[in-house]
Amino acid sequence: MDGLRAFGANYTEFTRRFATWLGLHSTDAAALVEILYAEDQGTPLSPARLSERVSLSSGATAILLKRLEQAGHIVRTRESADRRVVTLRSSPDIRPRAIAFFGPYSERMAEAMAAYSPQEIQHFENFLGALRTTMDALLAHEYEGGGPTPPTP
């Protein structure tokens, strides 16, 4: 668990440095990373989904998106048959910058993973999936009001 915590802290530090590199607030950079990642996965985000991913209210997310749009980092599109649905996309200018920043990270992660067999990677993915499912359940139930019920004295 300590290794996962440390990896998470390092990933957060990469995002913080990406923010500094772009001259953004760390929350704005974290949102931009989520938008880029979702695009890479073929599942672009809506503002509501981004709000969930970065743990902001819908109002705070709207303000954040306005800043990213004004900075030229994202565009909002209407790609769905339901024209009310907004899709968040990275701008053509930001993707090369993100690749330049995260390229060394991606290359080193690929090198590290190449030392393991596909079966070992699959076992690890299963393990991480089980941890995520456990945490999702805790957050949705025991921690939905901010934390567990405090013990009574």
Side-chain angles (χ1 to χ4, degrees):
M1 292 307 294
D2 188 55
L4 289 172
R5 186 211 52 79
F7 179 82
N10 282 349
Y11 187 82
T12 299
E13 180 61 14
F14 266 97
T15 303
R16 189 192 67 75
R17 291 186 188 192
F18 183 56
T20 300
W21 192 67
L22 290 175
L24 297 174
H25 184 277
S26 60
T27 304
D28 292 10
L32 183 55
V33 167
E34 289 293 334
I35 292 166
L36 288 160
Y37 179 75
E39 279 184 311
D40 289 346
Q41 298 302 304
T43 55
L45 298 175
S46 66
R49 186 72 180 118
L50 176 65
S51 179
E52 293 170 5
R53 299 274 277 275
V54 296
S55 300
L56 291 176
S57 68
S58 59
T61 300
I63 293 167
L64 177 149
L65 290 173
K66 185 176 180 179
R67 284 193 305 265
L68 290 176
E69 198 169 36
Q70 287 176 339
H73 298 319
I74 67 157
V75 292
R76 299 179 216 212
T77 63
R78 298 192 186 276
E79 303 169 14
S80 172
D82 181 347
R83 303 304 290 166
R84 295 172 295 176
V85 176
V86 173
T87 301
L88 303 173
R89 297 278 182 183
S90 61
S91 71
D93 294 338
I94 198 63
R95 182 156 293 278
R97 295 174 77 190
I99 290 169
F101 185 87
F102 286 105
Y105 169 85
S106 297
E107 290 170 15
R108 299 271 174 80
M109 291 296 116
E111 288 171 11
M113 290 176 62
Y116 298 91
S117 72
Q119 295 81 13
E120 289 173 306
I121 297 292
Q122 185 61 56
H123 285 294
F124 187 64
E125 286 179 355
N126 293 343
F127 171 70
L128 289 177
L131 290 180
R132 181 176 180 192
T133 299
T134 300
M135 289 188 73
D136 286 346
L138 279 165
L139 291 169
H141 302 289
E142 289 92 332
Y143 290 78
E144 73 179 328
T149 305
T152 54

